[in-house]
Amino acid sequence: MNAVDQKIEEIGIVPVIKLNHPERDAAPLAKALCAGDVPVAEVTFRAAGAEQAIRLMKEACPQMLVGAGTVLTEAQVDAALSAGAEFIVTPGFDGGLVAYCQKKGVPVYPGCTTPTDYHAALKYGLEVLKFFPAEQSGGLQKIKAMSAPFSMFRVMPTGGISLQNLKEYLSCPVIIACGGSYMVTERLIEAQSWEEITCLCKESRRLVKEARG
Ligand code: 3PG
């Protein structure tokens, strides 16, 4: 595992963020996550200002690990990197895009949920995959079943993770960390509920520690 994998594993939870008003919300959100002991963010390209959001979060909290999510094109990889993104997450497996990230030297976590996806990931020498959408694709049971033939991979399940199931997921050693939007929902961000976000992060970190004993 590389240094980014290790930092993600240490934190155990990766907030998946869509920011509609980065100029207003990126800095306070970054500070709220760090105050909750979750200094990592996957900023998705689902909103137009993702590049600006990455830059502003990194500026506000330089110690934070900031990556880009919902990356679908090479142009978005370039935009994310120029903004300072330290990792790339893609919703599905696109070999060309994985190779492009590897050429650029940035860790990439492609979404994989099937044996076919895992075979493809193996060819690219990947060690950590995003398992997306986790709950909708069979959840923990499927992750465990897939790990029998593909024991070389660790995964980051995302999609349907909540405070209710986080601990159960993290108790499985195949899982490096979970991704989720429950602590950074559009409702919380629109309402600028920074303290509530910090509380949800602290509660998540408590569960990470409990799950790992
Ligand atoms: C993602 O893109 O990773 C997911 O939309 C996050 O899923 P969640 O909203 O169910 O946490």
Side-chain angles (χ1 to χ4, degrees):
M1 294 209 299
N2 60 45
V4 173
D5 298 339
Q6 279 166 13
K7 187 156 183 195
I8 287 175
E9 178 173 39
E10 194 184 301
I11 300 167
I13 179 79
V14 178
V16 177
I17 296 161
K18 179 179 173 220
L19 270 188
N20 295 318
H21 306 288
E23 68 298 337
R24 185 191 72 183
D25 296 332
L29 176 60
K31 288 177 188 157
L33 295 174
C34 289
D37 199 24
V38 178
V40 58
E42 175 189 327
V43 180
T44 66
F45 270 78
R46 286 173 214 187
E51 197 181 336
Q52 187 191 9
I54 292 167
R55 185 171 289 116
L56 292 174
M57 289 183 84
K58 200 68 201 165
E59 261 170 38
C61 295
Q63 79 282 13
M64 189 172 187
L65 183 65
V66 183
T70 320
V71 172
L72 301 173
T73 65
E74 291 182 4
Q76 288 174 333
V77 174
D78 290 341
L81 291 179
S82 71
E86 293 152 288
F87 63 91
I88 301 289
V89 182
T90 68
F93 189 88
D94 174 339
L97 209 48
V98 168
Y100 189 72
C101 290
Q102 289 176 330
K103 195 174 86 185
K104 296 273 172 180
V106 63
V108 57
Y109 307 103
C112 296
T113 52
T114 67
T116 310
D117 293 339
Y118 278 43
H119 269 289
L122 199 52
K123 289 210 167 126
Y124 287 81
L126 295 169
E127 292 180 326
V128 182
L129 312 173
K130 167 164 165 155
F131 188 88
F132 173 78
E135 278 288 285
Q136 299 84 342
S137 306
L140 193 51
Q141 277 201 325
K142 185 160 183 193
I143 289 170
K144 287 180 180 168
M146 295 277 286
S147 75
F150 294 102
S151 59
M152 64 293 286
F153 291 119
R154 308 278 309 280
V155 300
M156 179 161 54
T158 309
I161 307 299
S162 66
L163 285 175
Q164 281 65 48
N165 60 15
L166 178 64
K167 192 173 157 188
E168 196 189 353
Y169 269 96
L170 289 174
S171 306
C172 173
V174 177
I175 293 170
I176 182 174
C178 286
S181 65
Y182 66 85
M183 76 302 271
V184 285
T185 60
E186 287 199 58
R187 181 189 66 79
L188 287 168
I189 292 173
E190 281 308 314
Q192 300 181 278
S193 302
W194 312 127
E195 280 178 20
E196 198 176 338
I197 290 173
T198 296
C199 282
L200 287 164
C201 287
K202 283 186 180 163
E203 178 60 4
S204 303
R205 288 282 289 150
R206 190 183 67 74
L207 292 168
V208 170
K209 286 171 192 156
E210 257 185 43
R212 293 174 174 168

